[in-house]
Amino acid sequence: MKTFEEMKSELNAKWTGFTIKAKVKAHETFEWMKENKEIVGTIIVPTGIILIKTATGLVKSIDRKIDLQKEQNLKDLYIYDRSLGYYHELNRKLTPSEALEIDRRRSNGETMAQILASMKLLK
């Protein structure tokens, strides 16, 4: 069984080897780019720009979708009581029949807190 110090020295050696290989590859790439400026300028750079724009568009759309999902979850799990100016946290999402029952009882004059408590929906 290896000791901690042996494992640490092996990892350091592997990391050093990796960084040296990465520097060599980067140097080779820059040398190739210097020798092939026309290819880099006409093909690689525009392609890279298009790829970056596409990737950022995808990230933005995914981020927007996640934000909308979070907002919808908050709307489903909280209900606003106008009389108290307070958001009540619900145990679960309301069913359509429960939402109709709440609307009917609110029109009869009951407060939102009373309705939710009697329906056992409050967290």
Side-chain angles (χ1 to χ4, degrees):
M1 181 137 194
K2 295 180 183 179
T3 64
F4 176 74
E5 294 300 324
E6 290 172 341
M7 291 190 312
K8 185 177 175 183
S9 65
E10 283 181 19
L11 281 175
N12 284 338
K14 287 181 182 180
W15 178 252
T16 304
F18 172 76
T19 56
I20 290 171
K21 287 179 186 176
K23 286 178 185 178
V24 168
K25 288 292 182 185
H27 181 70
E28 290 174 355
T29 302
F30 287 125
E31 289 299 318
W32 182 85
M33 289 172 72
K34 285 179 188 175
E35 294 170 4
N36 300 297
K37 288 182 181 176
E38 358 17 266
I39 294 173
V40 171
T42 58
I43 297 172
I44 296 175
V45 171
T47 305
I49 291 171
I50 291 169
L51 289 174
I52 290 171
K53 284 186 176 184
T54 304
T56 55
L58 286 172
V59 168
K60 284 182 181 179
S61 68
I62 291 169
D63 190 40
R64 201 172 310 122
K65 186 176 181 180
I66 290 170
D67 287 344
L68 287 173
Q69 184 65 37
K70 286 180 182 177
E71 184 178 335
Q72 187 61 44
N73 288 341
L74 285 176
K75 285 182 181 179
D76 290 342
L77 295 177
Y78 289 87
I79 192 162
Y80 186 69
D81 187 355
R82 290 188 198 109
S83 63
L84 297 175
Y86 180 77
Y87 284 93
H88 296 285
E89 187 175 1
L90 303 176
N91 284 333
R92 58 180 167 73
K93 184 178 175 180
L94 291 176
T95 63
S97 61
E98 289 172 338
L100 290 173
E101 177 71 16
I102 289 172
D103 288 339
R104 184 185 63 75
R105 290 173 68 177
R106 275 183 42 201
S107 64
N108 288 338
E110 287 185 65
T111 65
M112 183 65 72
Q114 291 172 341
I115 298 168
L116 294 174
S118 68
M119 295 175 76
K120 296 184 178 22
L121 290 172
L122 291 177
K123 197 166 201 179

